Amino acid sequence: MSYLVLARKYRPQTFDQVVQQAHVTRTLANAITCGRVAHAILFAGPRGTGKTTVARILAKAMNCEKGPTPQPCNACRSCREITAGNAADVHEIDGASNNSVEQIRELRENLQYMPSHSPHKIYIIDEVHMLSLQAFNALLKTLEEPPAHVMFLFATTEPHKIPVTILSRCQRHDLRRIDLRAIADHLQMLCRRQEVVVQPESLWLIAREAGGSMRDALSLLD
């Protein structure tokens, strides 16, 4: 069996497990509790800070059999499929390689179909700023008035490259760089779970080199 890198093995599966982004996760949890989740949400921030991870957890929260709930069970069919990355009703799209207007038009045509077994059909588009201007224009009307069963979750490291017409139709959440102490403490916790001994000085060095990115820190720890 191939080695599973730490960033994938220990990817957060609930809002509580996300490191130092409480200003985002608490807001989303409250929105779910109040039934006021936006149909289009943009997660912006530096690389490796949890944008796509938070989007996946939100998708679980909205499609969980016990939901919508801020605490997805991670045991039902929908939660398990999202964790495994093969959910029929949650589509993860790489904006860098699916950026043409034809691909966005195909996406729009698929929106009319109801989810196969979940309450919502959710599209997670990573690095959304890589879409072409024509693709953004094709998405405008759908983004403003999507079908009731559809949600869009966007992630980007460069929100300034997204047209204002798109930004104005999204609820935006900015994730921050993670500080040294939080990264070092998280690495220490993972070392204990892995049953390996790493000196605290080494973990601090890794945290400094990571520059606020948890994914970079986990790659260095690997």
Side-chain angles (χ1 to χ4, degrees):
M1 185 177 181
S2 61
Y3 175 69
L4 189 63
V5 297
L6 295 175
R8 291 184 59 194
K9 185 175 182 179
Y10 294 107
R11 180 189 290 272
Q13 301 300 330
T14 64
F15 287 133
D16 292 340
Q17 294 175 5
V18 178
V19 178
Q20 214 175 44
Q21 303 295 351
H23 63 291
V24 173
T25 57
R26 189 182 303 117
T27 300
L28 293 174
N30 289 341
I32 295 169
T33 301
C34 298
R36 297 178 61 87
V37 180
H39 64 267
I41 299 177
L42 172 69
F43 298 104
R47 72 179 189 278
T49 51
K51 299 182 296 297
T52 307
T53 293
V54 172
R56 288 177 179 172
I57 296 171
L58 178 58
K60 284 185 186 180
M62 297 304 295
N63 277 355
C64 180
E65 286 183 1
K66 298 181 179 179
T69 171
Q71 295 290 338
C73 69
N74 283 309
C76 67
R77 175 183 176 183
S78 182
C79 285
R80 285 186 281 108
E81 287 182 350
I82 294 171
T83 299
N86 56 15
D89 297 322
V90 178
H91 307 271
E92 291 196 33
I93 301 169
D94 175 22
S97 56
N98 297 274
N99 57 6
S100 70
V101 64
E102 290 79 11
Q103 288 161 322
I104 295 300
R105 284 172 179 163
E106 182 180 349
L107 181 153
R108 285 171 48 193
E109 291 174 0
N110 291 332
L111 295 181
Q112 60 185 309
Y113 301 111
M114 296 297 293
S116 61
H117 63 82
S118 306
H120 301 88
K121 180 177 284 190
I122 300 175
Y123 291 86
I124 300 174
I125 304 182
D126 198 13
E127 298 302 341
V128 68
H129 66 273
M130 297 291 286
L131 295 183
S132 67
L133 181 59
Q134 292 78 11
F136 275 126
N137 288 337
L139 194 58
L140 271 178
K141 186 63 176 177
T142 302
L143 198 60
E144 187 169 29
E145 298 177 0
H149 61 273
V150 172
M151 288 183 63
F152 289 99
L153 307 178
F154 301 138
T156 181
T157 53
E158 302 185 60
H160 59 280
K161 292 186 178 181
I162 300 176
V164 176
T165 50
I166 296 291
L167 291 175
S168 66
R169 290 164 169 80
C170 298
Q171 182 183 90
R172 176 170 169 173
H173 296 275
D174 288 276
L175 284 75
R176 305 165 182 159
R177 292 187 185 277
I178 306 169
D179 65 36
L180 294 181
R181 168 61 68 184
I183 291 178
D185 288 348
H186 189 67
L187 296 182
Q188 184 66 68
M189 182 269 291
L190 296 187
C191 286
R192 288 196 295 268
R193 294 178 65 176
Q194 288 287 106
E195 298 183 347
V196 297
V197 177
V198 180
Q199 294 301 317
E201 294 82 0
S202 298
L203 297 180
W204 273 93
L205 178 60
I206 291 174
R208 285 198 298 271
E209 285 294 315
S213 168
M214 185 62 77
R215 185 173 61 234
D216 286 6
L218 294 176
S219 296
L220 288 168
L221 183 61
D222 268 319

